[in-house]
Amino acid sequence: MYPCGNCRAAAVGPDGRCAACGAYQQQAAGMAPGPAPAYPYAPAMPAAPMPVGGVDLRRGLRIGLMVALGVSVAVMLAVVWAGAQTRTALQDMLDSGVSSTTQGDLEDAQAAATVTGILSFLTTAASATLWAVWFRRARINAEFFAPGSHRFGIGWAAGAWFTPVVNLWFPKQIVNDIYKSSALPGARAPKGLLNSWWTLWIAAGVCKVVSAGLSAGASARIAAKGYDGSTWREDIEALQNSVNVSTFGTLLMAVAGVLALLVVRQLGGLQEQRAMAGPGGMPGMPGPGMPVAPGGPVPAGVPYGAPGYVPGQQPGGPAAGWPHPPQNPYGSGPAGY
């Protein structure tokens, strides 16, 4: 028996439904079954190991990613606070002039910004790693929900985020396809939350690029001429503008992090609903009124005497043409033993 993709219980019957939680297991399209097991009613195992026919609904990774995103958002708020302290120190320097006091305040504020920036980098890196793994798993699930309907291969699900230039639109196209494939048949996937998250993500990235350009120019001039040059006031104002843009971008990133957390929750729920929809909700699984191939499983709930029912078998058991003898109802072996 293979484990359930939802609860991991080894209770998946020949009809593809888990007896513990009721989730249907999607079979991998085009996979050749392996050798028939010795036990007559155990389903044939796939030739290569993979998550329950490609559908993996375990929640551990999803929960870990949501926790990492929450921690990352909290650290980003600390970065916003440090940015506000730096902006105040720069304004004091403009108002009171350059002195040992104002320079000391600016150095303290920059030190706090450096510490919070390092913490933000570490938490964001952890979130990005978990995101890439979770996103690839969601893409694999979507492939089995709607095979052949995606614009990019599974490898792009993780690689698109780290590929320069194309990471501005490839991931959005991939997640659009995942949402579309994970929705119930005939239903339209809700994308308001998804589009809001992506818009803020791109806007935050633009703010970071603009801030880096402003800061690099002003810092270079101050390093070359110090605060004694004729343009020191303009340089301080440029640094202040850089901090303002960077702080605003970090705030947008924090909001995008909250929306990303909600996207993870929403997409996980969509894929769980799709897996729970039953055979009629997933391709490759027999639905009500659909013919059953000889030797294949009979859908759960087939009444006694209905087409596909074999005398001596329980609903959901082997269909007509099953090459093994019926089970002995009074023992653990086949009938006749």
Side-chain angles (χ1 to χ4, degrees):
M1 301 291 284
Y2 50 84
C4 171
N6 183 41
C7 67
R8 312 308 291 174
V12 179
D15 61 346
R17 184 166 185 164
C18 176
C21 69
Y24 284 90
Q25 307 306 308
Q26 173 75 357
Q27 294 295 328
M31 290 192 61
Y39 185 65
Y41 298 145
M45 296 297 289
M50 62 185 304
V52 189
V55 178
D56 192 340
L57 301 176
R58 289 174 292 179
R59 298 181 179 180
L61 178 61
R62 192 197 321 169
I63 294 175
L65 174 57
M66 294 171 67
V67 171
L69 287 172
V71 174
S72 181
V73 168
V75 175
M76 287 180 190
L77 294 179
V79 173
V80 171
W81 170 83
Q85 298 300 311
T86 302
R87 182 188 182 283
T88 300
L90 290 171
Q91 186 62 45
D92 290 342
M93 185 173 289
L94 287 173
D95 295 339
S96 305
V98 179
S99 64
S100 59
T101 301
T102 55
Q103 283 184 315
D105 293 341
L106 180 59
E107 290 174 357
D108 292 342
Q110 289 177 334
T114 300
V115 172
T116 56
I118 293 174
L119 291 177
S120 178
F121 173 79
L122 295 176
T123 55
T124 301
S127 299
T129 302
L130 291 176
W131 178 275
V133 177
W134 167 81
F135 195 73
R136 184 177 183 275
R137 176 184 292 183
R139 170 64 179 81
I140 292 174
N141 289 345
E143 180 68 29
F144 284 89
F145 290 143
S149 63
H150 297 263
R151 286 171 281 185
F152 299 92
I154 294 176
W156 277 109
W161 296 95
F162 306 102
T163 305
V165 183
V166 300
N167 58 4
L168 296 177
W169 71 89
F170 274 23
K172 182 58 166 61
Q173 292 179 328
I174 294 172
V175 75
N176 281 342
D177 292 342
I178 293 176
Y179 259 75
K180 182 178 179 180
S181 301
S182 300
L184 293 174
R188 192 171 183 180
K191 292 186 179 180
L193 180 62
L194 174 65
N195 293 334
S196 299
W197 158 70
W198 184 257
T199 301
L200 290 180
W201 168 268
I202 295 297
V206 171
C207 289
K208 291 297 183 181
V209 172
V210 173
S211 172
L214 292 174
S215 177
S219 298
R221 290 191 297 270
I222 291 176
K225 297 183 296 184
Y227 295 105
D228 298 329
S230 59
T231 62
W232 73 270
R233 185 173 293 274
E234 289 79 3
D235 295 337
I236 294 298
E237 290 176 349
L239 283 179
Q240 192 177 48
N241 292 333
S242 171
V243 171
N244 291 339
V245 175
S246 177
T247 301
F248 180 68
T250 303
L251 188 59
L252 290 181
M253 187 71 73
V255 178
V258 174
L259 295 182
L261 189 153
L262 297 177
V263 165
V264 172
R265 182 175 179 269
Q266 183 183 60
L267 182 54
L270 286 175
Q271 294 198 335
E272 286 182 352
Q273 289 178 3
R274 183 66 186 269
M276 294 290 187
M282 294 187 292
M285 297 293 289
M290 295 179 61
V292 179
V298 175
V302 173
Y304 291 96
Y309 171 71
V310 179
Q313 305 299 326
Q314 296 294 326
W322 184 255
H324 302 284
Q327 181 76 10
N328 182 359
Y330 301 102
S332 57
Y337 289 87

